[in-house]
């Protein structure tokens, strides 16, 4: 078959539902450290989109794990999600930007 593995685009609402019901998942924030420090989704791991290629395999050993990716507006999260798929990750979902996230965020203390 011709099934190319790709990432799935989901809404913030769908992402939140997954966070509330799944246990084994990783949230990736694809922004910069400065942006991350100003507020991010709880438990997100910061991997800027330009570092995904070099850091993912070391930091995300399970390529079948559910990975939820976001950034500020949804542009960098798409790049990061594409990069993950290229590396062989099979369960990547991209849910856009934190500017569209209607739920709470957390700030580094």
């Amino acid at each position: 078959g011709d099934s190319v593995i790709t990432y799935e685009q989901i809404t913030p609402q769908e992402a939140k539902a997954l966070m509330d019901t799944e246990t084994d998942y990783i949230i990736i924030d694809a922004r910069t450290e400065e942006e991350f420090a100003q507020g991010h989704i709880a438990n997100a791991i910061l991997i800027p989109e330009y570092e995904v290629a070099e850091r993912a395999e070391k930091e995300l050993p399970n390529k079948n794990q559910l990975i939820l990716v976001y950034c500020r507006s949804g542009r960098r999260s798409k790049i990061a999600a594409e990069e993950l798929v290229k590396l062989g990750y099979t369960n990547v979902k991209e849910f856009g930007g934190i500017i569209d996230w209607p739920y709470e965020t957390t700030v580094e203390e």
Side-chain angles (χ1 to χ4, degrees), residues 9-65:
Q9 242 182 302
I10 60 173
T11 64
Q13 290 74 15
E14 289 170 315
K16 179 77 164 73
L18 287 168
M19 293 173 193
D20 290 344
T21 54
E22 299 289 321
T23 51
D24 184 27
Y25 62 86
I26 287 175
I27 306 167
I28 291 179
D29 186 317
R31 299 175 299 160
T32 63
E33 243 171 273
E34 292 74 19
E35 290 171 295
F36 185 80
Q38 287 163 11
H40 55 266
I41 295 170
N43 304 316
I45 297 173
L46 173 68
I47 305 184
E49 130 275 314
Y50 51 86
E51 291 182 3
V52 168
E54 63 203 41
R55 289 175 52 189
E57 292 177 287
K58 191 163 79 245
E59 298 182 36
L60 314 166
N62 178 0
K63 292 199 171 175
N64 299 314
Q65 190 169 26

Side-chain angles (χ1 to χ4, degrees), residues 6-12 15 27-32 35 41 45 47-50 52 67-86 92-100:
T6 180
Y7 66 88
E8 188 185 349
Q9 242 182 302
I10 60 173
T11 64
I27 306 167
I28 291 179
D29 186 317
R31 299 175 299 160
T32 63
E35 290 171 295
I41 295 170
I45 297 173
I47 305 184
E49 130 275 314
Y50 51 86
V52 168
I67 301 180
L68 303 166
V69 190
Y70 74 96
C71 64
R72 190 190 71 84
S73 65
R75 188 183 63 82
R76 286 172 284 176
S77 52
K78 288 181 180 57
I79 297 169
E82 271 167 28
E83 206 56 64
L84 288 165
V85 168
K86 265 189 225 153
V92 180
K93 299 190 192 299
E94 184 269 320
F95 63 99
I98 199 166
I99 53 174
D100 299 315

